[in-house]
């Protein structure tokens, strides 16, 4: 990574460090453990897609990859670590990351008033559930006292992120002269998070947000697959290095209700397959953290009984993204712009 000073990325990515090289872990930065997780992800994908299926030749060209990341150093570094493990020959001259300003990866389709409307209602639901949880409020109060800040400030800082970093790196929670944050505090927050996920599935406000929030990135994915299926694209591998807030709405929109909050280094993969006997026939598989979840998705859960193959026709995914996702909002529209600008709601 230290030899990558000549790498050319889309602005403003070129100003970011290529690997976490600071002596102390800073807020929101990738750790060495995170680097190793992504190196292993990359090696796993190389074993499957390159060694077994020979997706990329050893003399691969930049046109065969599409790489995109948000402007955070941790997403760029995660993407680079994965590629280092994945590519047959990591060549800086061939690695070009595009910058995505939005964590939803919505490109030119980011303005969506209805999506924001659903999000506000969902945040209100979260707030009301939190008010009812006395154990959580007590935990927040005790933790705030330990680190000597107002409870309101600690709550707003979303301490689960910091606690997860400690927990997943086998570090003890912070102690001060006022006492210690302990496992009971962590349990109180995690228990509430699981209760929140359960209520979220029941109330379905988040689903409205997810369908509109995930539509642009799923529409891009479908477009990529169609171009590849029709032989109009050289791309064989696309990588979006993203966030938990990118992945959560996509999982929800796909109907993967059992998928828990994304863990560190979580990966969601869409595979495109061509039928050897019928080259014009194409199918997809969806894998989440290495588990085949194709037949748990909304667009394919009823298909298993009617199709002998262990995957789903590409047409099902196309129809889901271009029609069914928007119909599920109850807007009567199959046009993304119209669904985002619904009148009288």
């Amino acid at each position: 990574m230290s030899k990558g000073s000549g790498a050319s990325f889309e602005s403003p990515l070129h100003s970011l460090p290529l690997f976490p090289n600071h002596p102390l872990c800073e807020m929101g930065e990738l750790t060495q453990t995170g680097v190793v997780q992504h190196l292993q992800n990359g090696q796993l994908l190389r074993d499957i897609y390159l060694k077994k299926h020979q997706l990329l030749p050893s003399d691969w060209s930049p046109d065969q990859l599409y790489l995109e990341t948000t402007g955070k150093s941790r997403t760029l570094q995660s993407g680079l670590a994965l590629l280092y493990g994945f590519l047959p020959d990591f060549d800086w001259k061939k690695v070009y990351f595009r910058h995505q300003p939005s964590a939803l990866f919505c490109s030119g389709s980011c303005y969506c008033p209805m999506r924001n409307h659903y999000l506000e209602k969902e945040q209100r639901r979260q707030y009301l559930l939190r008010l009812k949880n006395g154990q959580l409020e007590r935990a927040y109060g005790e933790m705030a006292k330990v680190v000597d800040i107002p409870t309101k400030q600690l709550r707003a800082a979303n301490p689960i992120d910091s606690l997860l970093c400690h927990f997943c790196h086998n570090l003890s929670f912070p102690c001060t002269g006022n006492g210690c944050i302990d496992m009971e505090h962590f349990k109180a927050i995690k228990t509430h998070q699981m209760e929140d996920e359960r209520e979220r599935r029941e109330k379905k406000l988040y689903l409205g947000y997810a369908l509109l929030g995930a539509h642009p990135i799923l529409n891009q994915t479908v477009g990529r697959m169609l171009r590849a299926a029709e032989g109009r694209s050289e791309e064989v591998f696309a990588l979006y290095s993203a966030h938990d807030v990118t992945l959560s709405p996509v999982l929800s929109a796909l109907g993967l209700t059992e998928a828990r909050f994304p863990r560190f280094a979580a990966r969601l993969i869409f595979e495109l397959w061509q039928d050897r006997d019928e080259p014009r026939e194409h199918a997809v598989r969806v894998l989440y953290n290495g588990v085949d979840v194709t037949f748990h998705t909304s667009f394919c859960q009823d298909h298993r009984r009617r199709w002998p193959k262990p995957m789903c026709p590409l047409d099902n995914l196309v129809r889901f993204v271009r029609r069914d996702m928007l119909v599920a909002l109850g807007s009567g529209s199959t046009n993304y712009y119209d669904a985002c600008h619904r009148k009288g709601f």
Side-chain angles (χ1 to χ4, degrees):
M1 287 299 142
S2 59
K3 295 173 183 170
S5 55
S8 62
F9 300 150
E10 187 175 9
S11 179
L13 301 176
H14 53 69
S15 63
L16 298 176
L18 302 175
F19 64 106
N21 58 355
H22 32 252
L24 292 172
C25 291
E26 295 173 26
M27 197 67 146
E29 298 284 348
L30 192 67
T31 65
Q32 302 297 338
T33 304
V35 171
V36 172
Q37 281 184 297
H38 286 294
L39 285 169
Q40 290 179 338
N41 270 349
Q43 287 165 353
L44 193 70
L45 301 187
R46 174 157 64 179
D47 287 345
I48 300 292
Y49 298 122
L50 302 194
K51 290 183 180 175
K52 184 176 178 183
H53 293 296
Q54 295 168 351
L55 193 67
L56 276 177
S58 55
D59 59 344
W60 60 277
S61 80
D63 294 336
Q64 291 174 302
L65 300 185
Y66 180 85
L67 312 172
E68 194 171 322
T69 177
T70 58
K72 299 288 187 187
S73 62
R74 65 181 178 271
T75 49
L76 176 64
Q77 292 167 5
S78 296
L80 287 169
L82 186 143
L83 286 173
Y84 190 84
F86 173 70
L87 292 171
D89 172 32
F90 188 88
D91 184 344
W92 278 111
K93 295 187 289 296
K94 298 187 194 175
V95 175
Y96 180 76
F97 266 97
R98 290 164 177 80
H99 173 237
Q100 172 54 246
S102 166
L104 286 174
F105 282 69
C106 46
S107 299
S109 306
C110 291
Y111 181 63
C112 184
M114 278 304 299
R115 183 194 70 221
N116 297 340
H117 172 81
Y118 279 118
L119 181 59
E120 285 165 14
K121 290 194 130 191
E122 164 63 11
Q123 287 170 337
R124 174 78 181 158
R125 179 201 65 73
Q126 290 174 3
Y127 170 71
L128 292 174
L129 183 68
R130 204 168 58 230
L131 282 184
K132 288 191 283 188
N133 191 333
Q135 189 180 7
L136 181 71
E137 281 304 305
R138 273 194 304 280
Y140 279 153
E142 290 168 8
M143 290 164 66
K145 194 174 170 188
V146 169
V147 292
D148 196 23
I149 60 170
T151 306
K152 190 176 175 182
Q153 189 180 337
L154 180 115
R155 194 190 300 116
N158 199 16
I160 189 64
D161 285 348
S162 176
L163 293 179
L164 272 175
C165 286
H166 283 76
F167 184 78
C168 293
H169 289 83
N170 275 336
L171 299 172
S172 56
F173 296 133
C175 283
T176 69
N178 298 333
C180 290
I181 291 174
D182 60 31
M183 190 56 81
E184 290 307 309
H185 297 130
F186 181 63
K187 272 187 191 169
I189 298 177
K190 279 305 289 178
T191 303
H192 177 77
Q193 193 178 41
M194 288 157 75
E195 172 66 15
D196 183 71
E197 285 176 10
R198 187 190 61 73
E199 191 187 81
R200 189 173 84 176
R201 286 196 296 270
E202 283 176 10
K203 295 281 176 77
K204 293 193 167 27
L205 293 168
Y206 185 79
L207 179 61
Y209 166 75
L211 289 166
L212 289 169
H215 189 271
I217 192 172
L218 288 173
N219 200 35
Q220 288 172 45
T221 301
V222 160
R224 283 212 147 73
M225 288 182 159
L226 287 171
R227 286 193 297 276
E230 293 160 8
R232 293 188 290 119
S233 171
E234 283 186 60
E235 271 176 28
V236 292
F237 181 80
L239 172 68
Y240 295 98
S241 191
H243 303 265
D244 51 15
V245 292
T246 318
L247 205 44
S248 273
V250 173
L251 293 168
S252 184
L254 290 172
L256 297 171
T257 52
E258 296 308 309
R260 303 295 301 280
F261 193 79
R263 66 192 191 197
F264 289 131
R267 63 186 189 276
L268 179 67
I269 294 176
F270 292 85
E271 295 177 346
L272 177 65
W273 291 77
Q274 184 180 39
D275 193 313
R276 276 195 187 133
D277 302 324
E278 300 280 345
R280 295 183 66 172
E281 296 288 320
H282 290 82
V284 294
R285 277 205 323 158
V286 182
L287 299 102
Y288 184 49
N289 293 330
V291 177
D292 186 342
V293 294
T294 311
F295 292 107
H296 295 276
T297 61
S298 302
F299 66 88
C300 214
Q301 58 193 188
D302 297 328
H303 201 76
R304 191 171 220 158
R305 294 190 293 273
R306 303 196 299 272
W307 218 42
K309 295 172 186 171
M311 47 192 79
C312 200
L314 174 59
D315 289 346
N316 278 37
L317 178 59
V318 174
R319 188 166 53 247
F320 172 73
V321 172
R322 301 209 163 154
R323 189 193 70 189
D324 299 347
M325 274 179 82
L326 301 172
V327 169
L329 289 162
S331 66
S333 173
T334 54
N335 176 290
Y336 180 68
Y337 181 88
D338 291 345
C340 280
H341 297 79
R342 232 159 106 198
K343 297 271 194 301
F345 195 90

